[in-house]
Amino acid sequence: ALVHLERLLRVWLPPSAAWRVHHLVGLTWRELGNVVRARTHHTAALSIMENLRAGLAMHGRRADHALTQRAVYEAAVDAWVGRSSPPPPHHHRQEAFAAAQGLKASGGMAWLRDRASAPQSPGDSRSIRQERALLERLAVEGGSDVERLAMVARLPEIWHQENRASATSPAIPSTSAVGGMLEEGTVLTEFLMGEQRSYLWVITRTGDRIVYLPGLNEISPVLERYQETLLMPAMNGAQRATHFQAGRELARMLFGPALEDVVSARRLIVAADGPLHGLPFSTLIVADGHRDAAPDYLVRHVPITQVPSAAAWWALARRPRSGEPRALEFVGLGDPELVDGLAPLKVDVEFGEEGVTFVASDAGARRLPRLPQARRELSAISSLIGRSQARVLVGLEASETRLRTD
């Protein structure tokens, strides 16, 4: 049966069917132990899917396309790096990294990539755009149904050509390219979370490595238990013990042997994935014991920046600097002052199979204390950055309305 499927791929298939066949054949070869042939088919499936994404971008479907085909990207990563011994070579790690970035790519990523690219000469891209515009008009206004169908069939190819002609830089950078943009002492961590196994790329200016992590089937219970403690307005002794134990366990699970590198970094950049997007990494507890009667949170060791993906960070870092005055580099809100001195709502959190539900009510409102230390911290940050490049909103100015209108 597998041989017949591979023969089927020698004839032309619609792209929407071809990637599915390649994915199925790749999974089968993987189960049979032939990783090399599995990689060939997974790579082909990803290539077809990326071409489809180029066409779908015009209709705002790019992100949906990536989400619905997540299993293909995860299978490709697993085929390239898997749980192998010895560790996979660099080019295998790079193929897996590219697949992970493809999974996270969206229309926004393409927007950033285009603006990070050098200006294009008109050339072929102009004629492609003109042909695309003509075909789109004729597909709507054409004569017979047969003629319109022919125009519609031609459009995906044109969309793909237009996408390739407009790209002056690779959509997905290599780990070396990302590392080359990092400052000395900065560590970028890229997560890819799978149900059975997960992966972590650790990238620095001098190199990269991959760390194997447990799957979400192991991580999710610890993550949910820890997030529950974070949402508690106050903790008793047992709850504090749960908070410490879950936060410490989660840090070990998410960083594994790379935890020491993360803690000692000068700056940490985190590209989360899946349910980790809702985790404040700064609160992870990275050591046993306490500091100043409080858990040893990660934020005490290293400043943290969270980004959508390594590719998104790379595209932003490559943007050309213009001679125009820079916009504000820092806007901070803190030490809010409520008009009536009372918290207007009490928020209850309910955990269920569908996710987390926040329920607000007027009952049980309690007085909130002021936060003078937050005001001092914001003032200090503003002084370090330069007051002309920073804006601090405190007291009555620390409101959503003021932030949106300024």
Side-chain angles (χ1 to χ4, degrees), residues 118-315:
Q120 285 289 315
S121 58
D124 293 338
S125 61
R126 178 181 298 173
S127 62
I128 292 172
R129 288 196 302 270
Q130 291 173 344
E131 184 177 0
R132 185 255 297 169
L134 176 62
L135 283 172
E136 288 179 335
R137 181 172 58 82
L138 292 177
V140 177
E141 303 174 358
S144 67
D145 291 341
V146 174
E147 291 173 336
R148 285 199 298 273
L149 183 60
M151 299 300 176
V152 171
R154 170 76 173 139
L155 277 173
E157 182 180 348
I158 292 296
W159 289 333
H160 176 46
Q161 290 177 2
E162 185 177 24
N163 184 68
R164 294 182 61 183
S166 66
T168 60
S169 61
I172 296 175
S174 65
T175 52
S176 300
V178 173
M181 299 296 295
L182 294 172
E183 296 180 355
E184 192 69 34
T186 297
V187 174
L188 188 149
T189 54
E190 172 86 40
F191 289 89
L192 180 67
M193 310 305 294
E195 193 61 33
Q196 302 300 321
R197 62 175 63 99
S198 303
Y199 302 93
L200 171 67
W201 284 266
V202 181
I203 305 174
T204 66
R205 191 170 182 84
T206 56
D208 66 272
R209 62 177 171 140
I210 192 167
V211 177
Y212 298 101
L213 305 177
L216 286 172
N217 55 351
E218 296 182 42
I219 293 176
S220 292
V222 182
L223 175 62
E224 292 173 6
R225 189 164 70 249
Y226 186 57
Q227 287 178 318
E228 286 182 21
T229 67
L230 292 176
L231 293 170
M232 293 177 182
M235 299 184 201
N236 57 33
Q239 291 167 339
R240 282 194 295 272
T242 300
H243 173 76
F244 181 86
Q245 185 273 333
R248 185 75 179 101
E249 184 180 358
L250 189 59
R252 293 193 188 102
M253 296 178 82
L254 293 183
F255 291 113
L259 183 58
E260 184 177 343
D261 297 334
V262 166
V263 171
S264 61
R266 292 177 58 186
R267 180 189 175 197
L268 174 64
I269 302 174
V270 177
D273 183 45
L276 297 187
H277 283 297
L279 172 68
F281 279 80
S282 57
T283 69
L284 290 176
I285 300 172
V286 297
D288 296 326
H290 295 71
R291 293 177 57 186
D292 304 326
D296 196 7
Y297 294 116
L298 180 58
V299 72
R300 292 187 169 203
H301 295 267
V302 59
I304 303 169
T305 300
Q306 291 193 228
V307 297
S309 68
W313 177 86
W314 174 80

Side-chain angles (χ1 to χ4, degrees), residues 290-352:
H290 295 71
R291 293 177 57 186
D292 304 326
D296 196 7
Y297 294 116
L298 180 58
V299 72
R300 292 187 169 203
H301 295 267
V302 59
I304 303 169
T305 300
Q306 291 193 228
V307 297
S309 68
W313 177 86
W314 174 80
L316 287 169
R318 294 178 67 248
R319 287 183 305 172
R321 300 290 184 180
S322 65
E324 301 176 358
R326 291 181 299 174
L328 291 174
E329 293 187 348
F330 175 76
V331 178
L333 287 82
D335 189 21
E337 182 177 341
L338 300 173
V339 175
D340 57 2
L342 292 176
L345 293 176
K346 177 180 180 294
V347 179
D348 294 321
V349 182
E350 300 175 356
F351 293 88

